[in-house]
Amino acid sequence: MQSFTEENYLKVIYHLAEKTETVQTNAIAEQIQTKPASVTDMIKKLADKGLVDYIKYQGVSLTDKGRSAAIDIVRKHRLWEVFLVDKLNFKWDEVHDVAEELEHIKSVDLIERLDEFLGFPKSDPHGDPIPDKHGRFAKTQFIKLIDLKVGDSGTITGVSQHSSAFLKHLEKLGLTLGKQIQITDVTDFDGSVEILSSEKQINISREVAKHILISSNGKI
Amino acid sequence: MQSFTEENYLKVIYHLAEKTETVQTNAIAEQIQTKPASVTDMIKKLADKGLVDYIKYQGVSLTDKGRSAAIDIVRKHRLWEVFLVDKLNFKWDEVHDVAEELEHIKSVDLIERLDEFLGFPKSDPHGDPIPDKHGRFAKTQFIKLIDLKVGDSGTITGVSQHSSAFLKHLEKLGLTLGKQIQITDVTDFDGSVEILSSEKQINISREVAKHILISSNGKI
DNA sequence: AAAAATTTTTAGATTTACCTAAAAATAAAA
DNA sequence: TTTTATTTTTAGGTAAATCTAAAAATTTTT
């Protein structure tokens, strides 16, 4: 059984490992909002417990045991987010902090019943996949909106940025999960993208386009 | 803002203060499952924060601020218990430990939305009243079953013991909240009570009768 | 390949909540 | 009202998670 803090480290390492094979001390420190020295201490502890593989100065990676524990936390986080949005009418930009607390509640029974109560959802309010109770989940095939070409179209099925500011911005533009979009132009000057959605022309910055995930349905 | 641990102390002091005016160090230690010396330390801290009144060797009592914080935790605990039973189909003897964790989730918004989602319940699965968001709740008028006389009748509206063993026992006897009962006999020998409920004669020990709360509807 | 910059680790402290053992205060019994 | 028992507090220490400052290793630049 891991402490609240250990769980947070495992979760952060898990997410960082999605980008780089081995995870750097500084990267963890930034995510946890702590100092690199503290991270080194905790990494040693996690290594002793067999949750991470660690070679001094070479970064860490999760062991199978560590990954499994991390996925369990991710599962809880995402299920609670669904609960907050579907049942308590939170908006998708309001759920992160509360789910961050709820994910640490320790009761296998609670999570299985919650899963059932929510109808065994496959993805959370941001389109992220929810692992099943065995830790398995479909690696969904997302394409970043920024990588589409003029004429391409698809459906918004996720975001890769969960900040409230970003999500509120999308909300205001009407770019929510499930929306159909088509690329109509890409501006040479600033790389901003012109898209057609709900019969309206919308211009989004490169930065925004990077964090919208599309399940492509090819060219129209 | 209180820590997890401080919240537990406040809650325990609140409950103990329902029985005795000022609360003893040893009584707190027993509830928190810690040593009296640790309790003294924490009490000093709570006193410094203005949450309890404390005179050395004389026990503690909650200040208005402390009581308000305690009631807030009790409110959360009881609302989560309703959620677990009403929505996730937990039994009334299974909810305590999980609610003990959930009660520490810090989000005013969450609790108000949960309250609404549950339909603003007035009492929890054990019949205990749920404070409203201002900390107000009706002091319900309960009578202990043990204090009823032969011929008296009433409705089971609460229990004063939340252990799983006790609740499972009641469940097996069919003595759940809302059940009508009538006292048919009191045994001289061991003080056990003979009651009529759902057209069945049931014998319950004195110890059990002490912890069943009745809202009396007089003699029939 | 040496110098500079960055990253990471060590060493030594701090804070929170807890502990044991012994001393002090209070309450109960003789 | 002493003596005894109980309760509570103090004193000094521990473990978890953090910190700062300085040292060590690695990476990047020149």
Side-chain angles (χ1 to χ4, degrees):
Chain A
M1 192 93 295
Q2 286 85 44
S3 74
F4 189 99
T5 310
E6 286 167 356
E7 288 189 350
N8 273 332
Y9 273 85
L10 291 174
K11 184 186 61 173
V12 161
I13 294 168
Y14 175 78
H15 286 309
L16 288 170
E18 287 175 332
K19 290 169 186 171
T20 54
E21 256 328 290
T22 84
V23 178
Q24 301 198 116
T25 304
N26 273 1
I28 298 171
E30 197 191 344
Q31 289 293 313
I32 305 266
Q33 303 251 65
T34 185
K35 304 288 149 154
S38 310
V39 174
T40 303
D41 284 348
M42 181 55 80
I43 282 172
K44 282 181 186 165
K45 191 178 170 187
L46 295 175
D48 285 348
K49 288 192 170 190
L51 294 161
V52 299
D53 288 320
Y54 169 55
I55 306 166
K56 267 189 196 174
Y57 295 100
Q58 303 303 137
V60 279
S61 57
L62 293 169
T63 61
D64 285 351
K65 187 177 163 194
R67 185 173 309 103
S68 158
I71 288 174
D72 195 48
I73 299 156
V74 168
R75 166 171 159 80
K76 291 188 215 167
H77 183 101
R78 293 180 180 167
L79 281 173
W80 280 117
E81 285 199 345
V82 173
F83 169 70
L84 294 172
V85 169
D86 285 10
K87 303 297 181 180
L88 299 195
N89 299 118
F90 276 80
K91 301 219 190 87
W92 71 341
D93 59 282
E94 299 171 326
V95 296
H96 193 267
D97 292 351
V98 180
E100 203 91 314
E101 289 191 61
L102 286 163
E103 73 191 7
H104 299 289
I105 304 291
K106 287 170 189 14
S107 165
V108 175
D109 205 20
L110 171 64
I111 288 304
E112 293 197 11
R113 285 170 191 255
L114 180 65
D115 196 10
E116 185 181 358
F117 178 59
L118 299 173
F120 302 105
K122 292 278 167 292
S123 60
D124 78 9
H126 310 108
D128 294 309
I130 299 176
D132 70 15
K133 64 175 157 179
H134 305 104
R136 288 188 283 258
F137 53 99
K139 275 256 161 72
T140 36
Q141 208 44 62
F142 288 147
I143 302 165
K144 293 178 193 158
L145 196 152
I146 194 78
D147 294 335
L148 295 183
K149 290 175 191 64
V150 173
D152 288 354
S153 71
T155 309
I156 301 180
T157 40
V159 291
S160 59
Q161 236 267 289
H162 293 177
S163 77
S164 181
F166 176 66
L167 296 172
K168 271 187 181 141
H169 181 56
L170 289 194
E171 186 92 33
K172 206 164 66 185
L173 294 172
L175 300 174
T176 49
L177 293 203
K179 278 284 166 67
Q180 276 284 131
I181 58 105
Q182 181 173 23
I183 313 293
T184 52
D185 195 20
V186 177
T187 311
D188 281 343
F189 175 62
D190 60 357
S192 69
V193 183
E194 197 75 33
I195 64 179
L196 182 68
S197 172
S198 304
E199 281 139 55
K200 275 184 298 189
Q201 277 297 138
I202 304 168
N203 182 275
I204 57 175
S205 73
R206 226 184 120 66
E207 199 52 33
V208 167
K210 271 195 223 167
H211 294 297
I212 297 177
L213 303 175
I214 302 297
S215 83
S216 175
N217 45 12
K219 290 166 196 185
I220 293 177
Chain B
M1 192 93 296
Q2 286 85 42
S3 74
F4 189 100
T5 310
E6 286 167 356
E7 288 189 351
N8 273 332
Y9 272 84
L10 292 174
K11 183 186 59 171
V12 162
I13 294 168
Y14 175 78
H15 287 309
L16 288 171
E18 286 175 333
K19 290 170 189 173
T20 55
E21 257 327 291
T22 84
V23 178
Q24 300 198 115
T25 303
N26 273 1
I28 298 171
E30 197 192 343
Q31 288 295 311
I32 305 266
Q33 302 251 65
T34 186
K35 304 288 146 151
S38 309
V39 173
T40 303
D41 284 348
M42 181 55 79
I43 283 172
K44 282 182 186 164
K45 191 177 170 189
L46 295 175
D48 285 347
K49 288 193 171 190
L51 295 161
V52 298
D53 288 321
Y54 169 56
I55 306 165
K56 267 190 197 175
Y57 295 100
Q58 303 303 137
V60 278
S61 57
L62 293 170
T63 61
D64 285 352
K65 187 177 162 195
R67 186 172 308 102
S68 160
I71 289 174
D72 195 49
I73 299 157
V74 168
R75 166 169 159 81
K76 290 187 217 169
H77 183 100
R78 293 179 180 168
L79 281 173
W80 280 117
E81 285 199 345
V82 173
F83 169 70
L84 294 172
V85 169
D86 284 11
K87 304 295 182 181
L88 299 195
N89 299 118
F90 276 79
K91 301 217 189 87
W92 71 341
D93 59 282
E94 298 172 326
V95 296
H96 194 266
D97 292 350
V98 180
E100 203 91 315
E101 290 191 60
L102 286 163
E103 73 192 5
H104 299 291
I105 304 290
K106 288 171 187 18
S107 165
V108 176
D109 204 21
L110 171 64
I111 288 304
E112 293 199 8
R113 286 170 190 256
L114 181 65
D115 196 10
E116 186 182 358
F117 178 59
L118 299 173
F120 303 105
K122 293 277 166 291
S123 60
D124 78 10
H126 311 107
D128 295 309
I130 298 176
D132 70 16
K133 63 176 159 181
H134 304 103
R136 288 189 283 260
F137 54 100
K139 275 254 160 71
T140 35
Q141 207 46 59
F142 288 147
I143 303 165
K144 291 179 195 160
L145 196 153
I146 194 77
D147 293 334
L148 295 183
K149 287 173 192 65
V150 174
D152 288 354
S153 70
T155 309
I156 301 180
T157 39
V159 290
S160 60
Q161 236 268 292
H162 294 177
S163 76
S164 180
F166 176 67
L167 296 172
K168 271 188 180 141
H169 181 55
L170 289 193
E171 186 91 33
K172 205 164 66 185
L173 294 173
L175 299 176
T176 50
L177 293 203
K179 279 283 164 69
Q180 276 283 133
I181 59 105
Q182 182 173 21
I183 312 292
T184 53
D185 194 21
V186 176
T187 311
D188 281 343
F189 174 62
D190 60 356
S192 68
V193 182
E194 197 74 33
I195 63 179
L196 182 68
S197 172
S198 305
E199 284 140 53
K200 275 184 298 186
Q201 277 296 137
I202 303 168
N203 182 273
I204 58 176
S205 74
R206 228 184 117 68
E207 199 51 32
V208 167
K210 271 196 222 165
H211 294 297
I212 297 177
L213 303 175
I214 302 296
S215 83
S216 176
N217 45 12
K219 290 167 195 182
I220 293 178

